Amino acid sequence: MIEAPHGTTIVAVTHADGVVMAGDRRATMGNIIAQRDIEKVFPADEFSCVGIAGTAGLAIEMVRLFQVELEHYEKLEGATLSLEGKANRLTAMIRGNLGMAMQGLAVVPLFAGYDLDMGGGRIFSYDVTGGRYEEHSFHSVGSGSVFARSALKKKFRDDVDETAAIRLAVDALYDAADDDSATGGPDLSRRIFPIVMTVTADGLRKVTDDEVGAVVQSIVDERMTNP
């Protein structure tokens, strides 16, 4: 195995008006914390976002190329590619990395966005071969995903709104960090909080650090009284 920084846990949650995606900020290299404030959730275009798990350098490069390709398509066609089309394009890019994945440099993204045709948020997960799977309600990828998904399974409700979905996503990352050493919990002293993005019919919005910080503080306060 080549020692390279790896990104870990990403979660996505659908809500009444769209979808929320959040990622922790830790990158690890073996047992070392390689970076404490890496960004793992990126806008793909105006109506979609992508989170990365796996080899950080390759994953970030793949996301940048994905962003350029979607922008190029929109300029050529004068219209945004459908959400299905975006998900399919990402499939091909992951499959193109299969040789590197077989050497241990895998990239496993999580893709989500607002489907303008269907009028709702959708989530797509992938495997290292490029296999694409549509997830419903919520999903998580990365080393802490099993713990994050367990937290979401207990607390998710069909009628959650955007505010509740953001809280669910951040809460799930907190639980993942509690059990997975590669997932970074919120760092209150350095004010390093999860990256959170929400996508609705109005487009993509990155939730501000102040907003996420307030959610984190309420979760920490709650855990202080009820660990």
Side-chain angles (χ1 to χ4, degrees), residues 20 161-171 196 198 205 207 215:
V20 165
D161 59 11
E162 181 180 271
T163 301
I166 292 172
R167 166 85 184 209
L168 281 172
V170 175
D171 205 27
V196 182
T198 179
R205 178 178 75 90
V207 183
V215 174

Side-chain angles (χ1 to χ4, degrees), residues 6-9 24 26-28 40 143 180-184:
H6 274 65
T8 47
T9 313
D24 79 299
R26 178 175 291 177
T28 57
K40 305 177 190 175
S143 61
D180 174 43
S181 62
T183 303

Side-chain angles (χ1 to χ4, degrees), residues 205-221:
R205 178 178 75 90
K206 181 178 179 181
V207 183
T208 67
D209 277 349
D210 288 341
E211 291 177 86
V212 178
V215 174
V216 166
Q217 190 62 60
S218 69
I219 291 171
V220 171
D221 292 344

Side-chain angles (χ1 to χ4, degrees), residues 83-142:
L83 196 66
E84 286 274 355
K86 298 171 196 174
N88 289 337
R89 180 60 199 135
L90 193 51
T91 291
M93 296 178 73
I94 297 167
R95 188 169 294 126
N97 189 60
L98 184 57
M100 298 295 284
M102 297 296 287
Q103 299 179 56
L105 300 176
V107 176
V108 186
L110 187 62
F111 179 66
Y114 187 87
D115 193 317
L116 295 170
D117 298 322
M118 294 180 59
R122 299 173 71 185
I123 302 169
F124 297 92
S125 67
Y126 301 85
D127 60 34
V128 292
T129 67
R132 192 204 79 179
Y133 314 95
E134 182 165 4
E135 309 294 344
H136 300 284
S137 301
F138 57 84
H139 195 65
S140 179
V141 298

Side-chain angles (χ1 to χ4, degrees), residues 73 92 114 157 167 197:
Y73 177 90
Y114 187 87
R157 300 292 181 270
R167 166 85 184 209
M197 292 188 182

Side-chain angles (χ1 to χ4, degrees), residues 38-89:
I38 189 172
E39 295 197 14
K40 305 177 190 175
V41 180
F42 303 89
D45 67 357
E46 186 182 357
F47 292 100
S48 60
C49 56
V50 58
I52 58 167
T55 307
L58 293 177
I60 291 171
E61 197 64 30
M62 184 181 292
V63 167
R64 287 173 178 161
L65 181 58
F66 186 49
Q67 291 169 330
V68 170
E69 289 198 4
L70 295 185
E71 185 179 354
H72 182 63
Y73 177 90
E74 188 170 345
K75 286 180 177 178
L76 285 179
E77 301 295 329
T80 304
L81 187 62
S82 69
L83 196 66
E84 286 274 355
K86 298 171 196 174
N88 289 337
R89 180 60 199 135

